[in-house]
Amino acid sequence: MDTTDDENIQNDHNQNEADPNSPNDTTQIPRRMFLRLGVAGAAGLALGTVVASSVVPDLRRRGLWTPDGVFDAASIAFADSIYDESFPTSPLILTPFIDELTIPRALAPVWDFPSWSRPPGPGLGEQNSQGNERHQKWCNSIGSPDPLVYVLRQQVNTHSFTTSQVLPIDSLGQPVTSFDANGNSYDPGVVRTLPASTIYGFNGQLPGPMINAEYGKPALVRFINQLDQNPLDLDRQDFGAPDWSTLIHLHNAHTAPESDGNPQYSMRYGPGAQGYGPGKWVDNLYLNWPAGNLDTEKQSFFWFHDHRMDHTGANVYKGLFGLYPIYDTKNNVDMGDERRGLRLPGVRTGTVTVDGRLYNADGSFDVDYDIPLAFFDCSLDDGTTNHHDMHDGQYPAAGNPRAHPEWWGKTFFKHFPNHGFVGDVFTVNGTANPVMHVDRRKYRFRFLDASVARIYEFKLMSSSQGPQAAIDLGYVGDDLQGQYRIPDGEQCMQFTQIASDGGLLPLAITRDSFELWPAKRREVIVDFTRYQDGTPTTPGDVIYLTNLMRMPDGRMWSNSTRSLPDPNYKIPMIKFVIGDDPVVPDASVIPTGIMRELPNLPGNWQNLMSNRMIFEVQRASAGGEIEWLINGKQFDPSTVARSLRNPAGRRPLARQKLGSFNLWEIRNGGGGWVHPFHLHMEEHRTVMRNGKNVVNTPDPAHPDDRSREDVVALDPGESVIVYRGFRDFIGPYVAHCHNLVHEDHAMMFGWEIVP
Ligand SMILES: [Cu+2]
């Protein structure tokens, strides 16, 4: 037993506590200082003495005030004083499904980096602009060539979600007054052009560029923060990290801490702050190398996104996410060429052949019929909804609390909503209600939920009447989310699921529908040549990718197939139109055999049960509208968390030896919320759910438990035990809820790997 981890002798918890308040945040009151100051102090500082003088007596009267004013004693009344729960109704998109789905092309690597004043390299000081870090493992140490080098600049720009005209409406579906940035107002019923939203995007794009990667070919991305530059003089509104800092994480890549973009690392090392500020750069080295150098640990679809401590949700919602499919060229298994290996749909394009593989002249490659789909819901400002939450003080230029008619039609965000945050406009690859013209053949689709909190359930449907506006069907309020419905929608095709978060499945699964939780990926094959009853498709046929999960707020679904199905909730997300050409070449096959064996699970894994790590996610109990905790604690980036007492009677620190394996239990301590819980660095395998061994027999509600994943889907009150390794790198990592509003309000913990 490693007694150094025992709670009785391990007292280093607070010895080197870094100041969790960023040195960059000197002009605002960071949330953590707010928590320390307590109600009186924070209210006085952040809200002014007028508000404090009204809040505190009310708390006293209700017996919720303690003399030391600790924040935990805060009440709903106090919560009400620091935010309100109203959300706008987005204007109705009048002509949906006219904008073609954006299909990302691969970003090209750069080749001029040797001439940079600070080129990438393995030496000390070469990993970031501060010159205080180095790469833990350079490519040659694993027998790989030097990396392809990419540049991604975080830039302020604009983005349009639709070219359609819109009708401003209220929550009852009634036409309302709208506004513009010049102070004009428009009478109810006046149809408008939607203004572009201000975004923070990689190379100014939402979603950011796509990097097509290959195992065995490392990629180094120089992330350059240029968010201080605002050449278009755009209004930055009241969300996005107030100090414009960012921290970029390639979601679940097997990566050293300095390239992982995680807040425990960033607070203790590297930037020494919540993120890298404007003008700074960092080289994230993605070795494209599987855990343990095992083929069974290979994955297939990553995404990169901001992870800046306390403002991840706001930064991602502002546009900081991008796509990173990764191909396995070994034995041509999954190389983007449907003529070889597993023969998954995909036609690799390019002009140069290297090792039997096509590349573009710039070193990138594209794969036709292999389409990433990033789902992102947003809410657009109606110009009359009050902007007010506990982050008001961090955006002094906004002058909150107040409404912002000048932001009409632009993305609206709340940092700290009691019920979580979901949008009512559903976008795919940055476009609301896109249409995609498809060939009569098989496609591979890579689904990614890039939303702050929304969970989807997808089904392929036909509809003879087509989409109808929810307001025309008499819906109001939350039921306007998604804006359109297909009341006569009927399932017409099935998905063949081939991959989940952790890459290719052992065996393909035929599915009528599947859920997609935040940060999760699912890959499917769709055969557009015929319907599930065997009849062939014909040119001009229309199929809708439809969302069946009704999720009116950030807590959880109210209706889905496996829980109170609502036959009327059928939201068309993408309109597929079958192309004219009756015969399109298609060399792909639906896999029937083993695609990827699961990594070895030792036969005696249950021996690890008694000394497992246990982490319980929960809402704070007193004034529970406020905080999200793990094992009763808010995220402390200065140290590693401690397990709850396990059956062996110990409370080990979340500290693992390099090369070790363990069981970690994640519990949902609450009943009214779901949590997509993400563990960095290695994907895991679920072995127990709610006390049942699911190694060979998954819970019917969680069929993906049979694969490898990096996000644990936790239904209310559930407990999941995962088996995972801690290989190849040492240092600090994190685990956190991927409901980004939860993550930003402390539902995260630090853990580390030690030699
Ligand atoms: Cu959560």
Side-chain angles (χ1 to χ4, degrees):
M1 184 166 74
D2 180 4
T3 52
T4 58
D5 277 353
D6 194 279
E7 62 178 319
N8 297 320
I9 58 170
Q10 183 72 37
N11 289 315
D12 67 350
H13 219 63
N14 298 311
Q15 276 174 9
N16 63 339
E17 185 177 358
D19 182 357
N21 304 305
S22 163
N24 302 331
D25 254 355
T26 50
T27 56
Q28 295 101 19
I29 303 161
R31 178 170 57 83
R32 285 163 212 292
M33 184 185 294
F34 187 96
L35 295 172
R36 280 187 193 159
L37 288 167
V39 172
L45 276 167
L47 305 166
T49 50
V50 174
V51 177
S53 64
S54 66
V55 168
V56 173
D58 184 49
L59 294 176
R60 276 209 187 94
R61 180 174 56 73
R62 296 168 61 166
L64 294 165
W65 176 254
T66 57
D68 60 354
V70 293
F71 194 73
D72 278 353
S75 70
I76 293 167
F78 181 61
D80 290 346
S81 76
I82 55 174
Y83 60 83
D84 62 45
E85 276 291 286
S86 54
F87 293 86
T89 300
S90 299
L92 175 67
I93 292 168
L94 287 171
T95 320
F97 306 108
I98 54 168
D99 294 324
E100 192 74 26
L101 177 79
T102 298
I103 298 174
R105 306 301 288 179
L107 180 70
V110 298
W111 298 97
D112 64 344
F113 58 88
S115 67
W116 294 354
S117 63
R118 308 255 323 261
L124 180 62
E126 293 187 308
Q127 196 258 338
N128 67 25
S129 55
Q130 280 145 289
N132 63 354
E133 291 291 339
R134 76 188 305 160
H135 294 284
Q136 190 176 125
K137 262 188 169 62
W138 191 252
C139 316
N140 54 6
S141 71
I142 57 164
S144 287
D146 275 351
L148 291 167
V149 176
Y150 297 86
V151 177
L152 286 173
R153 297 176 166 84
Q154 292 117 75
Q155 295 174 325
V156 185
N157 203 352
T158 60
H159 178 80
S160 294
F161 294 102
T162 183
T163 62
S164 163
Q165 297 282 286
V166 299
L167 176 68
I169 55 172
D170 63 14
S171 65
L172 299 175
Q174 298 301 308
V176 289
T177 302
S178 63
F179 311 91
D180 69 19
N182 299 317
N184 302 309
S185 61
Y186 300 83
D187 287 340
V190 174
V191 167
R192 302 285 310 281
T193 298
L194 198 64
S197 288
T198 301
I199 63 160
Y200 296 167
F202 293 105
N203 295 352
Q205 299 171 31
L206 184 162
M210 177 172 76
I211 293 175
N212 274 340
E214 293 176 318
Y215 274 104
K217 275 197 166 187
L220 181 144
V221 185
R222 177 159 296 190
F223 290 101
I224 306 174
N225 185 329
Q226 298 183 334
L227 292 180
D228 53 333
Q229 300 172 27
N230 187 359
L232 301 173
D233 196 26
L234 300 167
D235 190 330
R236 295 167 185 263
Q237 302 172 271
D238 54 5
F239 65 94
D243 62 359
W244 308 335
S245 70
T246 62
L247 186 63
I248 312 307
H249 170 58
L250 182 63
H251 184 101
N252 221 57
H254 190 55
T255 299
E258 71 276 3
S259 292
D260 186 53
N262 80 68
Q264 194 201 171
Y265 168 83
S266 75
M267 291 297 287
R268 293 172 62 182
Y269 306 98
Q274 291 110 325
Y276 293 91
K280 303 223 168 94
W281 56 261
V282 58
D283 287 348
N284 284 2
L285 177 58
Y286 305 131
L287 289 168
N288 296 333
W289 180 63
N293 198 24
L294 295 171
D295 289 339
T296 52
E297 299 281 359
K298 285 177 174 169
Q299 298 175 259
S300 55
F301 186 25
F302 296 122
W303 64 302
F304 48 92
H305 64 81
D306 181 73
H307 211 308
R308 194 273 194 193
M309 187 171 136
D310 293 348
H311 285 276
T312 292
N315 275 356
V316 171
Y317 184 74
K318 206 136 188 151
L320 287 171
F321 63 98
L323 308 158
Y324 194 102
I326 181 165
Y327 294 85
D328 180 10
T329 55
K330 184 173 175 182
N331 303 325
N332 303 321
V333 166
D334 180 18
M335 63 175 286
D337 182 343
E338 65 194 24
R339 297 167 306 173
R340 297 194 250 181
L342 290 171
R343 301 184 62 185
L344 303 173
V347 174
R348 193 155 161 150
T349 65
T351 53
V352 184
T353 302
V354 181
D355 298 335
R357 311 197 280 270
L358 281 171
Y359 293 90
N360 299 317
D362 58 21
S364 67
F365 62 95
D366 287 293
V367 183
D368 291 345
Y369 305 109
D370 179 349
I371 315 285
L373 302 172
F375 295 85
F376 171 88
D377 59 332
C378 59
S379 177
L380 304 176
D381 210 314
D382 61 4
T384 56
T385 295
N386 203 34
H387 286 240
H388 180 35
D389 69 26
M390 68 182 289
H391 295 244
D392 286 354
Q394 296 182 324
Y395 303 89
N400 294 337
R402 73 178 180 94
H404 288 278
E406 76 278 15
W407 296 345
W408 177 85
K410 300 184 179 190
T411 42
F412 172 101
F413 187 65
K414 274 217 195 296
H415 299 258
F416 196 62
N418 179 15
H419 295 138
F421 182 89
V422 292
D424 60 355
V425 171
F426 298 172
T427 77
V428 191
N429 294 352
T431 297
N433 317 113
V435 59
M436 180 181 176
H437 291 84
V438 295
D439 289 336
R440 285 193 75 244
R441 53 154 290 152
K442 294 188 286 298
Y443 280 70
R444 176 180 189 167
F445 290 107
R446 300 174 189 251
F447 285 67
L448 160 69
D449 185 350
S451 305
V452 171
R454 185 174 289 283
I455 307 172
Y456 304 84
E457 182 189 358
F458 295 111
K459 191 173 263 194
L460 292 164
M461 295 187 133
S462 292
S463 162
S464 50
Q465 292 171 11
Q468 296 176 44
I471 62 168
D472 292 338
L473 296 166
Y475 292 108
V476 299
D478 297 337
D479 274 323
L480 298 180
Q481 291 176 9
Q483 300 204 331
Y484 282 85
R485 297 194 179 203
I486 44 173
D488 66 343
E490 299 271 1
Q491 185 186 350
C492 64
M493 290 181 179
Q494 291 175 307
F495 303 102
T496 303
Q497 187 184 344
I498 54 169
S500 61
D501 314 346
L504 295 171
L505 302 174
L507 290 164
I509 310 173
T510 303
R511 302 189 69 164
D512 293 317
S513 73
F514 64 94
E515 294 182 9
L516 193 68
W517 290 45
K520 279 185 169 290
R521 288 87 67 212
R522 297 281 176 263
E523 295 177 47
V524 302
I525 296 172
V526 176
D527 183 352
F528 287 115
T529 64
R530 58 187 172 79
Y531 295 101
Q532 68 188 88
D533 66 3
T535 57
T537 55
T538 56
D541 282 4
V542 169
I543 296 112
Y544 292 96
L545 179 75
T546 307
N547 175 32
L548 305 180
M549 181 173 279
R550 186 171 175 274
M551 186 160 167
D553 58 36
R555 288 170 180 264
M556 61 179 295
W557 57 87
S558 59
N559 310 84
S560 76
T561 294
R562 67 181 170 97
S563 176
L564 289 175
D566 177 353
N568 296 315
Y569 192 81
K570 291 179 276 201
I571 309 294
M573 303 278 295
I574 303 175
K575 177 183 184 177
F576 294 111
V577 181
I578 303 291
D580 293 338
D581 190 344
V583 184
V584 179
D586 183 355
S588 70
V589 298
I590 303 264
T592 52
I594 296 280
M595 289 187 289
R596 177 84 76 203
E597 298 278 6
L598 288 169
N600 182 46
L601 178 68
N604 60 350
W605 63 268
Q606 283 162 322
N607 293 353
L608 296 168
M609 283 288 283
S610 65
N611 208 14
R612 66 187 184 265
M613 304 258 187
I614 303 173
F615 301 97
E616 181 165 313
V617 300
Q618 60 208 156
R619 286 188 107 177
S621 53
E625 306 299 296
I626 308 301
E627 271 287 44
W628 294 99
L629 306 176
I630 295 174
N631 291 355
K633 291 196 158 56
Q634 61 167 307
F635 176 50
D636 176 355
S638 70
T639 188
V640 299
R642 192 178 282 287
S643 165
L644 293 182
R645 194 169 300 282
N646 62 30
R650 298 183 64 235
R651 295 185 57 225
L653 284 172
R655 182 175 282 160
Q656 296 278 163
K657 285 257 190 212
L658 179 65
S660 68
F661 295 80
N662 204 355
L663 297 177
W664 282 24
E665 176 175 356
I666 313 294
R667 291 180 187 160
N668 184 348
W673 293 78
V674 297
H675 301 284
F677 201 83
H678 173 48
L679 309 160
H680 280 221
M681 204 260 190
E682 283 201 24
E683 67 280 10
H684 58 255
R685 180 165 170 184
T686 299
V687 293
M688 303 276 288
R689 188 178 279 271
N690 305 327
K692 287 205 186 91
N693 180 331
V694 293
V695 169
N696 295 314
T697 315
D699 183 317
H702 297 277
D704 289 292
D705 281 353
R706 209 165 193 177
S707 62
R708 296 171 305 131
E709 296 186 289
D710 52 48
V711 177
V712 179
L714 284 170
D715 285 359
E718 282 201 317
S719 128
V720 169
I721 299 177
V722 303
Y723 176 82
R724 59 161 294 177
F726 302 87
R727 286 171 281 187
D728 305 317
F729 305 101
I730 57 169
Y733 292 94
V734 294
H736 59 89
C737 185
H738 225 292
N739 178 325
L740 299 179
V741 173
H742 298 180
E743 174 185 341
D744 284 339
H745 296 91
M747 194 176 254
M748 173 148 54
F749 68 86
W751 57 273
E752 67 184 357
I753 302 175
V754 294

